[in-house]
Amino acid sequence: MEPLLDVQNLTMDFGGLRAIDRVSLQARKGEVVALIGPNGAGKTTLFNCITGIYKPTAGDILITPPGQETRRINHLKTHQITAQGLARTFQNIRLFQEMTVLENVMMGRHCRSTAGVLAAVLRDSRTRREERDIVERSYAILREIELAPQVNELAKNLPYGAQRRLEIARALATDPFLLLLDEPAAGMNPRETKELEEVIRQICDEKRIAVLMIEHDMKIVMSVSDRIIVLDYGEKIAEGTAGEIRVNPEVIKAYLGEEDA
């Protein structure tokens, strides 16, 4: 199966510091790929390169959206990459706290709208249909994420775990084929983490999109991932299934250190 995302020998330098060193990875349809490693390993830097926040020093980022040709996205800006079909959440919650749950998801959906400024002012029949479609599709996503009962609640009033899921709902509103989750379980209690696991698996199984996830919670990583990629000091040191990564000596060394002989 051709990968939706194909990162080839990606390198990112900041002055004299090499944060990412020739890292390659792939993500395929319906697959959860977890990116793990000690603090400072380069995980978020890699996400920032893929999503256009940083321009990589070297290497290629290739995407193959379903039914389309492979294209290189190294040169694109963040909003252009979102339009290509990549959506991301962040470590810190970035909701519109004073907007309702529905309005937050609608904000994500607007990147797929076609109405211009004039049409929005005149509110012709096509524009009104598009607005109804945005509301209906946003509400459908909230049902899938099990947030429909809170549709009119302000985002700031949601419990922490629900806010995290709302961020995912807003990302899904952009119609991505690849969803990048940056520490989605951070700060969650065990019940919220379990709910998140179910949401991630549901997204992959039903929508058949790929999920690339940075996460420090090894329980959710081992539970939900199809493949795990391990970074250490900007280099990829291991890749495999949960069972393979759990016993990999390079991974154990990176996380636990190595005693002097």
Side-chain angles (χ1 to χ4, degrees), residues 1-4 27-32 64-66 85 144 172 175-179 199-211 226:
M1 182 188 302
E2 191 168 26
L4 299 176
R28 294 176 172 81
K29 183 187 297 185
E31 181 181 47
V32 179
T64 309
E144 295 169 2
L172 290 174
D175 281 347
F177 65 84
L178 174 66
L179 181 61
V199 166
I200 293 173
R201 280 282 25 138
Q202 176 186 340
I203 289 169
C204 288
D205 295 343
E206 295 183 5
K207 294 184 176 295
R208 303 302 297 162
I209 68 176
V211 171
D226 297 296

Side-chain angles (χ1 to χ4, degrees), residues 31-46:
E31 181 181 47
V32 179
V33 180
L35 192 61
I36 69 171
N39 290 331
K43 305 181 294 297
T44 297
T45 299
L46 181 57

Side-chain angles (χ1 to χ4, degrees), residues 233-254:
Y233 293 107
E235 297 183 8
K236 184 169 79 171
I237 62 170
E239 178 175 355
T241 64
E244 292 167 341
I245 293 300
R246 188 179 287 113
V247 298
N248 186 295
E250 289 297 317
V251 177
I252 295 171
K253 177 182 174 182

Side-chain angles (χ1 to χ4, degrees), residues 59-128:
D60 278 317
I61 305 168
L62 306 175
I63 61 170
T64 309
Q68 300 181 37
E69 295 183 353
T70 299
R71 66 195 68 157
R72 183 174 177 267
I73 62 170
N74 298 45
H75 61 291
L76 297 182
K77 298 182 184 300
T78 301
H79 71 278
Q80 294 172 319
I81 289 175
T82 300
Q84 292 289 323
L86 285 73
R88 176 186 180 175
T89 66
F90 291 83
Q91 289 178 342
N92 299 318
I93 292 176
R94 297 191 180 185
L95 295 172
F96 299 101
Q97 297 288 347
E98 298 296 332
M99 288 185 178
T100 67
V101 167
L102 179 62
E103 288 168 342
N104 267 272
V105 181
M106 289 172 62
M107 290 296 291
R109 187 70 205 155
H110 274 295
C111 80
R112 297 300 177 193
S113 66
T114 58
V117 175
L118 181 60
V121 172
L122 298 177
R123 289 182 54 78
D124 58 17
S125 59
R126 185 174 68 86
T127 301
R128 292 196 300 272

